Amino acid sequence: MKVSEVDPRSIRTRELLHQALVNLAAEKSFASLTIRGVTDKAGLNRTTFYLHYGGLHELLEDCARTLFAQMRTDIYANKVIGEARNTATFTPFVESVFRHLELHERFYRAMLGQEGDPLLRGLFQELLLELIFEPIAHQTQADFNDPYIEMNIRFFNAGFIGIASWWLEKGKPIPIEQASLQITRDILPGYLRLLSNRNW
């Protein structure tokens, strides 16, 4: 039987498990992680682990959703100033994503890289649709019931995941500001044009 998620001790235990997972993921591939390894790193026992999670993937998803919640806060602290037609107005949104990736670099490099976990990559891709691309798409009044629109959203979103993975694996070869500007200046206009089916 799982414990209450709002109990302070439960919150502290989950934080310890999250941190242990993040630290271990930075040292080895996810496939080589074990519950024993995570609990030893956290200074907890397996019984305590199973009071909170059914397995490693459940812990990973909870950890990822906690990080995404932080990223959501950072992204939506930005305001769109000006017209959506000027894609440079979205640069702060993209910068927020890159800064979040940089802050948790070791975890995301391990999880999104070639030796990473496919389930986390898929989860990251789905949540990023909501966190950054859908708000932008709403500025164009796109019809999300249109399969053509969804196909384009997913194509560009997958491309952004690829850029993020490359950026981390290559040791951040381009400064955040430059990478964000290039995306909003050179890549985003084509995305918005496909969504709106009109010239931008």
Side-chain angles (χ1 to χ4, degrees), residues 146-191:
D146 184 344
Y148 174 81
I149 296 298
E150 182 174 357
M151 180 176 68
N152 281 289
I153 289 174
R154 291 187 177 278
F155 176 81
F156 278 87
N157 191 50
F160 186 87
I161 300 295
I163 291 173
S165 299
W166 164 83
W167 187 73
L168 290 171
E169 288 178 353
K170 293 295 183 179
K172 302 175 293 184
I174 301 176
I176 289 175
E177 295 79 7
Q178 181 181 342
S180 301
L181 180 60
Q182 184 170 341
I183 288 172
T184 55
R185 183 188 61 197
D186 300 335
I187 300 175
L188 189 56
Y191 166 66

Side-chain angles (χ1 to χ4, degrees), residues 2-191:
K2 292 189 175 181
V3 298
S4 170
E5 293 186 356
V6 297
D7 181 270
R9 290 172 298 181
S10 175
I11 293 173
R12 175 58 179 162
T13 297
R14 293 200 308 274
E15 287 176 348
L16 288 172
L17 290 170
H18 285 188
Q19 192 59 52
L21 177 66
V22 169
N23 291 338
L24 286 174
E27 301 170 3
K28 56 182 73 176
S29 67
F30 181 80
S32 65
L33 297 182
T34 63
I35 292 175
R36 174 68 177 272
V38 172
T39 54
D40 285 351
K41 190 79 168 179
L44 302 169
N45 57 51
R46 289 173 63 91
T47 301
T48 301
F49 178 93
Y50 285 114
L51 287 174
H52 298 271
Y53 301 106
L56 279 177
H57 270 106
E58 191 173 323
L59 168 61
L60 175 62
E61 180 173 343
D62 188 39
C63 183
R65 288 186 181 279
T66 299
L67 291 176
F68 293 146
Q70 296 173 9
M71 182 161 58
R72 169 188 286 275
T73 299
D74 294 340
I75 288 175
Y76 285 101
N78 298 294
K79 304 296 181 182
V80 176
I81 301 176
E83 297 183 357
R85 184 181 301 272
N86 179 9
T87 57
T89 62
F90 295 112
T91 301
F93 291 82
V94 180
E95 285 187 4
S96 292
V97 176
F98 276 108
R99 295 196 188 286
H100 175 83
L101 293 173
E102 182 179 52
L103 183 62
H104 305 283
E105 177 181 352
R106 295 193 305 165
F107 175 76
Y108 283 116
R109 187 170 61 240
M111 292 294 100
L112 297 179
Q114 295 180 353
E115 300 296 321
D117 180 62
L119 290 180
L120 176 68
R121 192 181 184 93
L123 178 62
F124 185 83
Q125 189 164 328
E126 289 299 316
L127 291 178
L128 202 60
L129 282 171
E130 176 185 351
L131 286 175
I132 186 167
F133 284 101
E134 286 190 7
I136 292 175
H138 279 302
Q139 291 288 327
T140 70
Q141 299 179 342
D143 178 10
F144 288 98
N145 293 318
D146 184 344
Y148 174 81
I149 296 298
E150 182 174 357
M151 180 176 68
N152 281 289
I153 289 174
R154 291 187 177 278
F155 176 81
F156 278 87
N157 191 50
F160 186 87
I161 300 295
I163 291 173
S165 299
W166 164 83
W167 187 73
L168 290 171
E169 288 178 353
K170 293 295 183 179
K172 302 175 293 184
I174 301 176
I176 289 175
E177 295 79 7
Q178 181 181 342
S180 301
L181 180 60
Q182 184 170 341
I183 288 172
T184 55
R185 183 188 61 197
D186 300 335
I187 300 175
L188 189 56
Y191 166 66

